[in-house]
């Protein structure tokens, strides 16, 4: 099956596709290879990383880095591998109930599209240990572990297809449900003593 090109997905959410898992692993490996020792871990995140969950047909990859900076070598290494930077530093919306105690910004990230002409991929560079880095992994692992919550989340996302007109509206309607799901995920994390699963890819000496 030919991979879709780098164009916005329509409709916003589609039924789960069996190839998403393999695609995510492949793209995580490509990002890890491009970043080298700059990346502490690289993970397939987002809804396409949860088997059986409806999602936008785009692969989200998170690279956890020691120091997030909009300069060489992070940007240089990814652009040399064909990835295309989306603007400068991005400030993500803060999630309800998460009040950081750190003095450094914890909601920032760098964004990249995949190489031109290939399937739609978004690479999120976030600082290792930051709140937004942890939440991406927590939500993924929680949805993987709880079939009931995953089914509810999937039905909600598919229902949005009938009422949304643009991506901004889709994200705005999803935010309250996402915040509620994250609160439940925190309870699950405490009960299960959750730690992030093994990374999908990472750089190692001699690879």
């Amino acid at each position: 099956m030919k991979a879709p090109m780098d164009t916005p997905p329509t409709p916003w959410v589609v039924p789960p596709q069996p190839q998403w898992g393999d695609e995510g692993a492949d793209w995580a490996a490509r990002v890890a290879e491009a970043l080298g020792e700059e990346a502490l871990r690289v993970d397939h995140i987002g809804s396409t990383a949860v088997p059986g969950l409806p999602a936008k047909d785009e692969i989200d990859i998170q690279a956890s880095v020691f120091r997030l900076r909009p300069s060489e070598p992070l940007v240089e290494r990814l652009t040399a591998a064909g990835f295309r930077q989306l603007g400068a530093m991005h400030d993500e919306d803060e999630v309800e109930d998460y009040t950081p105690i750190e003095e450094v910004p914890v909601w920032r990230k760098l964004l990249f599209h995949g190489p031109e002409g290939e399937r739609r991929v978004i690479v999120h560079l976030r600082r290792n240990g930051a709140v937004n880095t942890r939440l991406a992994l927590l939500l993924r692992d929680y949805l993987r572990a709880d079939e009931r919550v995953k089914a509810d989340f999937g039905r909600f996302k598919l229902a949005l297809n009938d009422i949304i007109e643009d991506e901004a509206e889709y994200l705005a309607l999803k935010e309250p449900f996402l915040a509620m799901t994250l609160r439940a995920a925190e309870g699950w994390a405490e009960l299960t003593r959750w730690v992030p699963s093994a990374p999908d890819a990472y750089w190692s000496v001699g690879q």
Side-chain angles (χ1 to χ4, degrees):
M1 180 178 178
K2 187 177 180 181
M5 303 299 279
D6 181 22
T7 55
T10 303
W12 299 109
V13 178
V14 299
Q17 305 296 309
Q19 72 273 13
W20 283 342
D22 289 339
E23 288 181 318
D26 290 343
W27 280 102
R30 287 178 64 171
V31 171
E33 181 179 4
L35 287 173
E37 70 275 12
E38 291 292 323
L40 300 177
R41 61 179 292 155
V42 181
D43 296 276
H44 181 198
I45 60 168
S47 294
T48 59
V50 181
L53 182 64
K56 291 191 292 182
D57 189 21
E58 62 186 26
I59 301 296
D60 286 282
I61 301 296
Q62 174 172 274
S64 303
V65 298
F66 177 70
R67 184 178 294 109
L68 186 64
R69 54 195 187 277
S71 59
E72 301 178 1
L74 290 173
V75 173
E76 184 179 75
R77 290 190 177 192
L78 279 178
T79 54
F83 293 89
R84 298 163 292 153
Q85 188 174 6
L86 300 175
M89 191 72 72
H90 291 258
D91 288 311
E92 298 187 283
D93 293 333
E94 294 189 15
V95 178
E96 183 181 352
D97 295 337
Y98 288 88
T99 303
I101 60 175
E102 304 171 72
E103 295 182 0
V104 297
V106 296
W107 297 102
R108 289 186 172 179
K109 66 179 176 181
L110 292 171
L111 281 175
F112 291 79
H113 269 156
E116 188 173 1
E118 299 193 50
R119 73 112 59 241
R120 184 171 170 85
V121 174
I122 306 250
V123 180
H124 309 251
L125 264 65
R126 296 183 172 115
R127 184 174 61 82
N128 189 57
V131 173
N132 53 355
T133 307
R134 174 183 174 275
L135 290 184
L137 299 174
L138 171 61
L139 181 63
R140 181 200 65 183
D141 289 355
Y142 176 51
L143 291 173
R144 284 177 174 177
D146 195 311
E147 289 292 331
R148 180 186 59 80
V149 174
K150 179 175 72 175
D152 289 343
F153 197 43
R155 283 192 293 268
F156 176 77
K157 293 175 68 175
L158 288 173
L160 291 184
N161 274 342
D162 297 330
I163 58 175
I164 60 174
E165 296 182 358
D166 56 44
E167 186 171 20
E169 185 179 6
Y170 168 79
L171 293 174
L173 289 171
K174 192 178 74 170
E175 280 305 311
F177 191 88
L178 181 60
M180 179 180 65
T181 304
L182 281 171
R183 285 195 289 272
E186 291 290 3
W188 169 81
E190 184 175 355
L191 286 172
T192 62
R193 298 183 180 180
W194 170 81
V195 293
S197 55
D200 292 307
Y202 60 91
W203 183 85
S204 61
V205 177
Q207 76 172 25

